[in-house]
Amino acid sequence: STKYRVAVIGAGPSGLASMKACLEEGMVPTCFESSDDMGGLWKFKEVSEPNRASIYRSLTINTSKEMMCYSDFPIPADYPNYMHHSKILKYFRMYAEHFKLLQHIRFQTSVKSVKQRPDFTRTGQWEIVTENRDGQEEKHVFDAVICCSGHYTYPNLPLKDFPGIETFEGKYLHSWDYKGPEDMYGKRVVVIGIGNSGGDIAVESSRVAEQVYMSTRRGAWVIRQVSDNGLPVDMKYNTRFVHILFQLLPINFFNWFGEKKLNTMYDHTMYALKPKHRLFSQIPVINDDLPLKILSGSVVIKPNVKEIRGSTVEFEDGSIVEKVDTIVFATGYNYDFPYLPSNTMYKSGHRVGLYKHVFPPNLEHPTLAVVGFIHALGAIMPQAEMQARWVTRVFKRIKKLPSIQAMIKAVENDTKDIEKHYIVSKLTPLQVDFVSYMDDIAGEIGVRPSLLWLFFTDYPLFKRVLWGPVSAYQYRLMGPGKWEGARQAIFTQFDRMYHVNTNKPKTTSTASRSLKSLILYTSIWVVNC
């Protein structure tokens, strides 16, 4: 019989993981990548290219290496904990070469359309039209399609929300166009938006600008990458122990505790940062430098812009800044799947409704999936990889999805839950809890680590899985796709974290936690039942 053929759209981190998952299940992937290289968002270009993600020259990831790597391919020990985009791209190349993915990628090939074949009811197949760099179109037939085209591609530039922008005498740009602070020497700059990009751009430009103002509608909680004892914040707090506590105690306790801890470092009210929402209602801004820049006056926090007149910007509190040279709109992104027919995607409220954020729930055959269209306080790489492992097993019919009605009901329930627990908008319509979501999809595959089983069969590993960070290696310990190196990777993850600073592996001792353990074992039983 002919091999099952899968089209993968995009060769970024999600596309690479999807190709590997296809190969693991004996399928033949063909990846269409519109640019001349892999890496997606993480491939830096000096000039932003339309319909592609774009990053700035200095960008460093805000997730540590042990928490962002793929589950069976640890990042080298001598790589820094928070990696520059150039190092991330090198890691992707190593991954692609190791798992022999390059031969499956067709570069400089854009996907123009994806539509169901006339015999879709019988076959579930798709017809894809692609265009190469010479403008030649080609038709293909695939058994299934995985969309990995990302959601940082279409800049949101809401000029209509800024009265008088047409009178502005300086230069304005979206953060998508920002590459570095070269054009901001001695300038007066207003950055609109306080997400991670806005924070980075305000900090970086403040080193050369005369003055930087940062305008925010709702404020933000700002956390540091460098946590207690100098550990990466995600290695310290993104643990199963903390996750279990979140399930046992009310969220308001964690909001109170977390906000108190953040305000101990710097009072968000004093810094004019305190938002209207609670800490765990929205992904916080991760920026170690912003508080110092505010304290030193290099960055001044302002409320929403009320009006722009020539080179003058007036804010909603009545304050005015004159002689503004540059406005940077760090106002997020719209998302779209322009190559898909409009009736393919199910709409739930103002978001694209996907079953478990992967499968359109209204298709006759589950042969179309979206991987990497997810938003959580954690790196996309392990989440996309988990999704891809599930998707390929659904394609192979090893896993069966529920009925269309059941999936639509689940999507609508997700929409209600998201709106209840998080601050969402048309731009960020989707947020999930990292560990809950990883465990949910892992449960679909059969690779969720069992704390009970580990407690009785491998107590040293149990301790590290419970108390240590929820790194992706945990999802290679058992079940389909089990990796023999997973246990060792978990035992040595702190060695790799320390290695880059000390130049020698450091053995981490697990402190005696017997009292805590006694309290917790009952809760672990509850969680695993």
Side-chain angles (χ1 to χ4, degrees):
S1 62
T2 56
K3 286 229 177 184
Y4 197 89
R5 298 180 67 237
V6 181
V8 177
I9 303 173
S14 302
L16 295 176
S18 296
M19 280 188 282
K20 177 177 176 284
C22 287
L23 293 169
E24 281 180 336
E25 294 294 347
M27 301 174 181
V28 180
T30 301
C31 179
F32 299 110
E33 169 54 49
S34 63
S35 77
D36 58 2
D37 202 355
M38 70 172 76
L41 172 81
W42 296 100
K43 170 64 181 177
F44 175 75
K45 295 276 179 95
E46 282 291 344
V47 178
S48 300
E49 298 175 352
N51 304 328
R52 292 209 191 108
S54 171
I55 54 174
Y56 32 98
R57 197 173 292 105
S58 63
L59 181 65
T60 298
I61 196 167
N62 56 23
T63 310
S64 68
K65 67 179 178 184
E66 291 298 311
M67 299 297 282
M68 66 151 274
C69 67
Y70 295 112
S71 60
D72 54 0
F73 198 71
I75 292 171
D78 60 352
Y79 274 43
N81 283 296
Y82 291 112
M83 291 155 55
H84 185 255
H85 61 74
S86 57
K87 281 276 199 295
I88 294 172
L89 195 62
K90 278 184 184 172
Y91 171 66
F92 289 156
R93 290 199 205 291
M94 289 160 55
Y95 180 80
E97 285 165 14
H98 181 79
F99 292 109
K100 299 180 171 56
L101 306 180
L102 289 169
Q103 66 206 63
H104 299 281
I105 306 175
R106 291 180 58 171
F107 292 108
Q108 294 184 303
T109 306
S110 303
V111 173
K112 308 309 285 184
S113 70
V114 175
K115 59 185 180 185
Q116 297 175 4
R117 294 259 293 159
D119 59 357
F120 182 83
T121 301
R122 184 173 58 83
T123 64
Q125 289 182 331
W126 298 83
E127 180 179 287
I128 295 186
V129 177
T130 60
E131 183 180 281
N132 66 15
R133 62 178 171 183
D134 300 321
Q136 292 176 317
E137 290 196 348
E138 191 179 346
K139 280 186 181 178
H140 317 258
V141 175
F142 285 96
D143 297 299
V145 179
I146 307 178
C147 305
C148 306
S149 47
H151 51 109
Y152 295 112
T153 304
Y154 305 101
N156 173 57
L157 196 58
L159 298 181
K160 65 181 189 308
D161 295 341
F162 297 90
I165 184 68
E166 71 281 355
T167 71
F168 183 56
E169 294 167 3
K171 175 188 176 185
Y172 67 80
L173 66 151
H174 190 276
S175 57
W176 180 82
D177 276 313
Y178 176 85
K179 296 298 172 183
E182 297 79 19
D183 296 336
M184 296 182 181
Y185 278 81
K187 301 284 177 68
R188 292 167 67 80
V189 180
V190 173
V191 177
I192 297 174
I194 198 174
N196 284 317
S197 296
D200 283 353
I201 292 168
V203 165
E204 185 171 60
S205 57
S206 73
R207 297 188 178 112
V208 299
E210 179 190 313
Q211 183 65 61
V212 174
Y213 300 89
M214 195 172 194
S215 166
T216 169
R217 275 182 307 180
R218 55 165 53 249
W221 295 104
V222 180
I223 68 174
R224 299 187 307 183
Q225 290 170 278
V226 181
S227 182
D228 309 344
N229 306 119
L231 294 181
V233 67
D234 48 7
M235 293 282 279
K236 178 82 176 175
Y237 289 108
N238 205 349
T239 69
R240 282 195 182 278
F241 171 61
V242 170
H243 179 65
I244 290 168
L245 289 182
F246 264 86
Q247 291 175 301
L248 295 174
L249 299 173
I251 191 65
N252 280 339
F253 167 77
F254 290 101
N255 281 323
W256 169 80
F257 180 81
E259 289 165 14
K260 189 170 184 296
K261 189 168 176 65
L262 291 181
N263 282 324
T264 301
M265 287 188 279
Y266 36 87
D267 187 327
H268 279 58
T269 303
M270 187 183 96
Y271 281 70
L273 290 168
K274 189 171 187 234
K276 298 167 186 172
H277 60 265
R278 303 303 302 271
L279 174 58
F280 291 104
S281 296
Q282 194 175 53
I283 293 174
V285 172
I286 303 173
N287 197 308
D288 291 45
D289 300 326
L290 184 59
L292 177 59
K293 290 296 179 183
I294 295 170
L295 202 59
S296 64
S298 305
V299 176
V300 176
I301 302 296
K302 290 286 187 182
N304 202 29
V305 171
K306 179 183 177 185
E307 189 182 3
I308 297 164
R309 297 186 300 274
S311 62
T312 299
V313 177
E314 182 180 351
F315 299 92
E316 286 182 348
D317 63 353
S319 63
I320 289 174
V321 172
E322 296 177 328
K323 298 179 183 173
V324 173
D325 301 290
T326 308
I327 298 176
V328 181
F329 288 92
T331 45
Y333 292 83
N334 296 302
Y335 61 89
D336 194 16
F337 303 94
Y339 45 81
L340 291 175
S342 56
N343 64 349
T344 306
M345 287 300 187
Y346 175 80
K347 281 288 169 65
S348 176
H350 55 232
R351 74 185 189 93
V352 167
L354 299 167
Y355 177 63
K356 294 191 185 288
H357 313 301
V358 175
F359 287 99
N362 52 339
L363 294 179
E364 215 173 336
H365 295 284
T367 54
L368 174 70
V370 178
V371 165
F373 190 64
I374 194 83
H375 200 51
L377 187 54
I380 191 67
M381 298 77 174
Q383 294 177 91
E385 180 191 39
M386 187 69 76
Q387 290 177 328
R389 291 171 71 186
W390 178 42
V391 164
T392 50
R393 293 179 72 75
V394 170
F395 286 171
K396 271 190 90 172
R397 297 183 176 85
I398 298 170
K399 291 297 297 181
K400 193 175 187 305
L401 296 183
S403 68
I404 288 175
Q405 291 78 10
M407 286 195 287
I408 287 174
K409 188 176 179 186
V411 167
E412 295 299 344
N413 286 339
D414 279 345
T415 299
K416 286 176 192 163
D417 285 347
I418 290 168
E419 288 175 352
K420 179 181 174 186
H421 294 112
Y422 301 110
I423 304 292
V424 288
S425 67
K426 287 184 179 179
L427 297 186
T428 53
L430 167 60
Q431 188 173 332
V432 297
D433 175 73
F434 179 82
V435 180
S436 298
Y437 185 70
M438 290 285 282
D439 277 356
D440 183 25
I441 304 302
E444 293 288 334
I445 306 165
V447 297
R448 178 179 172 175
S450 167
L451 288 174
L452 260 181
W453 174 256
L454 290 174
F455 177 70
F456 287 115
T457 61
D458 192 339
Y459 187 68
L461 179 59
F462 163 81
K463 287 193 293 183
R464 283 163 176 81
V465 169
L466 175 64
W467 297 106
V470 186
S471 46
Y473 316 125
Q474 295 189 7
Y475 300 101
R476 292 281 181 182
L477 287 169
M478 50 189 68
K482 179 181 175 180
W483 174 46
E484 293 305 323
R487 185 180 188 274
Q488 179 66 11
I490 291 169
F491 272 75
T492 54
Q493 58 194 355
F494 278 96
D495 295 343
R496 284 186 298 280
M497 186 201 78
Y498 284 115
H499 179 93
V500 73
N501 297 327
T502 62
N503 214 24
K504 61 181 180 180
K506 177 175 177 178
T507 306
T508 57
S509 62
T510 305
S512 172
R513 298 184 175 99
S514 54
L515 182 61
K516 282 184 184 175
S517 300
L518 284 171
I519 297 167
L520 265 174
Y521 292 152
T522 310
S523 64
I524 296 162
W525 250 267
V526 172
V527 170
N528 277 269
C529 286

